[in-house]
Amino acid sequence: MISKRFLLKRLLLLVPVVLGVATVVFAILHLSPGNPARTIAGQRASEEFVRQIENDLGLNDPIYVQYGRFLWNAIQLDFGNSYVIRRGTPVTDVLRYRFPVTLELAIYGQLAGIVFGIPLGILSAVKQDSVTDHLTRIGALTGISIPIFWSGPLLILVFATVLDVLPTSGRISSNYSIDAVTGLITVDALLSGNLDAFLSAVQHMLLPSLVIGVYSMALISRMMRSSMLEVIRQDYMRTARAKGQGAKITVMKHGFRNALIPVVTIIGIQFGSLLGGAVLTETVFNITGIGILLVDAISVGDYPLVQGTVLLFAFLFTLVNLGVDVTYSILDPRIDQ
Amino acid sequence: MDADGPAGAESPHPPLSRLGAMFAVGAVAGAVTVVALAVGTDADASARVFSLGALVFGAALLGWSTAVLAGRGLEAAHRHLETGSDWTEAKSRRAMLLLCAFGLGGMVGVSIATAIA
């Protein structure tokens, strides 16, 4: 049982983290060169028009007023309107449309990492120094070493071009039109009751998830292996075996739960990285998620979009870490004491 | 012995006097820099110095949060790996709070200097 005090403390710590990120983002954007008003008006616009836009946006107000207004609006989840990419559209609307795309990719990528990484790590540990162990370790090392911009096109080449069993890009076949309910295309396809559309969405999601999940899988399996190796040498494991318990039951019942704690940390950190690092996967597979949006927003100086996206990332990252902390205390109740 | 108390019971909070001193140093530094830059005809002087103060404040706030969230784990990892480091959660929190005070002081100093000018 998680103590309320532990949970409250962790929730309260979200406040300084988000405030810190918001302040750093505000500072960096104001230190970077370029004039947002000029970006909106265009390079050929008159100085008078640029000044007018500056006044409209409040860019001529003292900097502390701008900072206060930014924080106050951010508390109300108002990040203003996009300057360039979706000119005039509220940032929250842009994020609401784009974010589920990346979230879905990260969830499936992480699921692939967990589903394959944990069993491989356990197998590698219980069969230490065997052929299975060596193969798993080589596989993990390869997974960590291969960059996405190489593995992505390679998988497209094999599965889409040569074997022709999976689509090359996009989220769903153009034959289907699915109403967005959650924004997660596989879930929306299921909700619509169209099984063919669902299968199409799953097919489209398979390769990007695999690409993004390989790195995660490699890291999880390595961590699971070393953690499990440490646990199976503990006295309580020997005692369980001495009492006549089978090897598999001992590992799964007594070892797995204890070995899982450092792995949960890696899963949490990885999930945050998957959200932020989906840029390459989205580019390779032509998925219009939040990663590409952030890069585009930075390159064209769309400040409100950058601020909104980074704050959303930071908030989610801290939420994931909160989830990790809660999982710790479930796995080992001594932790929240 | 630690400067602020016995080594066995390190306080994660710096003394208020030291926090106040850092705040004052930040405020004076911020105000002086703004005035100096403004005299040098830098139109964006206050925005630039305020942003620098905000950068220090924000980064230190994140550092403090990290120390609170993961400090004990990092400390245990240092011990476990026998790094020989004397890094502790309490020292990190104190240092980050002092930096927070300095950054915040800078922001306030710039704001006052700008408002007066």
Side-chain angles (χ1 to χ4, degrees):
Chain A
M1 186 67 185
I2 311 153
S3 76
K4 281 179 188 165
R5 192 171 171 272
F6 176 79
L7 204 59
L8 191 70
K9 189 183 165 192
R10 284 292 185 263
L11 276 172
L12 281 176
L13 270 169
L14 293 182
V15 179
V17 172
V18 175
L19 176 65
V21 173
T23 307
V24 168
V25 172
F26 177 86
I28 289 175
L29 287 179
H30 279 79
L31 283 171
S32 58
N35 182 354
R38 172 62 68 186
T39 308
I40 296 169
Q43 293 306 315
R44 292 178 184 174
S46 65
E47 277 301 314
E48 193 183 329
F49 186 51
V50 173
R51 295 281 164 267
Q52 189 190 329
I53 293 175
E54 280 179 351
N55 278 331
D56 292 346
L57 295 176
L59 296 174
N60 287 330
D61 293 337
I63 183 75
Y64 55 89
V65 174
Q66 291 184 48
Y67 177 67
R69 189 170 51 220
F70 164 67
L71 287 184
W72 179 244
N73 288 340
I75 289 169
Q76 300 171 73
L77 298 179
D78 175 10
F79 302 107
N81 295 342
S82 166
Y83 288 168
V84 187
I85 293 177
R86 291 278 182 277
R87 186 169 289 194
T89 311
V91 169
T92 40
D93 287 351
V94 180
L95 294 179
R96 196 176 298 140
Y97 172 71
R98 289 284 198 106
F99 177 67
V101 178
T102 303
L103 183 68
E104 187 173 37
L105 192 62
I107 288 174
Y108 288 129
Q110 191 66 295
L111 273 179
I114 293 170
V115 166
F116 293 110
I118 288 180
L120 280 177
I122 296 173
L123 197 69
S124 191
V126 294
K127 292 185 181 297
Q128 192 187 4
D129 294 331
S130 67
V131 178
T132 316
D133 180 29
H134 292 313
L135 283 177
T136 310
R137 285 163 67 191
I138 291 170
L141 203 62
T142 313
I144 292 173
S145 313
I146 295 177
I148 287 172
F149 58 78
W150 189 78
S151 60
L154 192 74
L155 285 176
I156 290 175
L157 191 71
V158 174
F159 290 101
T161 311
V162 177
L163 298 175
D164 197 21
V165 288
L166 290 172
T168 52
S169 61
R171 298 179 72 208
I172 193 165
S173 166
S174 54
N175 298 335
Y176 305 106
S177 172
I178 300 294
D179 292 331
V181 181
T182 61
L184 310 174
I185 194 84
T186 47
V187 178
D188 288 347
L190 259 187
L191 290 176
S192 72
N194 189 337
L195 196 65
D196 289 337
F198 172 70
L199 287 175
S200 172
V202 169
Q203 278 184 333
H204 279 77
M205 203 47 73
L206 212 58
L207 278 187
S209 304
L210 206 63
V211 166
I212 213 169
V214 163
Y215 182 80
S216 192
M217 177 185 76
L219 213 59
I220 290 170
S221 73
R222 275 187 74 90
M223 184 55 81
M224 192 74 219
R225 178 184 181 274
S226 56
S227 181
M228 188 57 99
L229 278 177
E230 201 169 305
V231 166
I232 55 181
R233 290 182 188 129
Q234 297 292 319
D235 289 342
Y236 61 82
M237 295 291 282
R238 209 173 295 125
T239 307
R241 292 283 288 132
K243 283 165 73 181
Q245 197 167 48
K248 281 180 187 168
I249 295 175
T250 310
V251 167
M252 294 316 291
K253 193 177 173 186
H254 301 292
F256 180 63
R257 191 169 165 148
N258 288 308
L260 211 55
I261 291 174
V263 181
V264 167
T265 313
I266 291 295
I267 291 172
I269 294 170
Q270 268 301 105
F271 190 71
S273 308
L274 288 184
L275 281 172
V279 180
L280 284 171
T281 319
E282 288 175 7
T283 309
V284 170
F285 290 96
N286 191 25
I287 296 170
T288 50
I290 211 167
I292 291 180
L293 181 77
L294 181 60
V295 173
D296 288 345
I298 291 170
S299 59
V300 297
D302 200 334
Y303 288 1
L305 212 45
V306 175
Q307 285 171 340
T309 313
V310 173
L311 278 179
L312 180 66
F313 274 144
F315 185 66
L316 282 166
F317 203 91
T318 48
L319 272 188
V320 169
N321 274 297
L322 176 71
V324 168
D325 284 342
V326 170
T327 315
Y328 281 161
S329 59
I330 292 169
L331 289 171
D332 186 351
R334 289 171 299 179
I335 286 175
D336 68 353
Q337 298 303 312
Chain B
M1 279 287 278
D2 188 74
D4 302 311
E10 278 184 319
S11 166
H13 309 291
L16 269 178
S17 57
R18 199 181 286 185
L19 262 182
M22 282 301 276
F23 181 86
V25 169
V28 171
V32 167
T33 315
V34 166
V35 172
L37 285 174
V39 169
T41 66
D42 186 341
D44 295 329
S46 65
R48 208 167 294 181
V49 183
F50 184 91
S51 299
L52 282 173
L55 197 60
V56 173
F57 171 68
L61 196 57
L62 284 175
W64 178 82
S65 313
T66 309
V68 175
L69 279 167
R72 278 200 287 178
L74 287 171
E75 210 177 310
H78 276 291
R79 271 201 309 274
H80 182 69
L81 297 171
E82 294 175 356
T83 57
S85 157
D86 61 348
W87 187 96
T88 63
E89 181 211 3
K91 280 181 188 171
S92 171
R93 283 170 67 172
R94 277 207 309 260
M96 290 301 158
L97 277 178
L98 289 175
L99 274 177
C100 270
F102 178 76
L104 199 62
M107 291 161 76
V108 171
V110 172
S111 304
I112 292 170
T114 311
I116 291 171

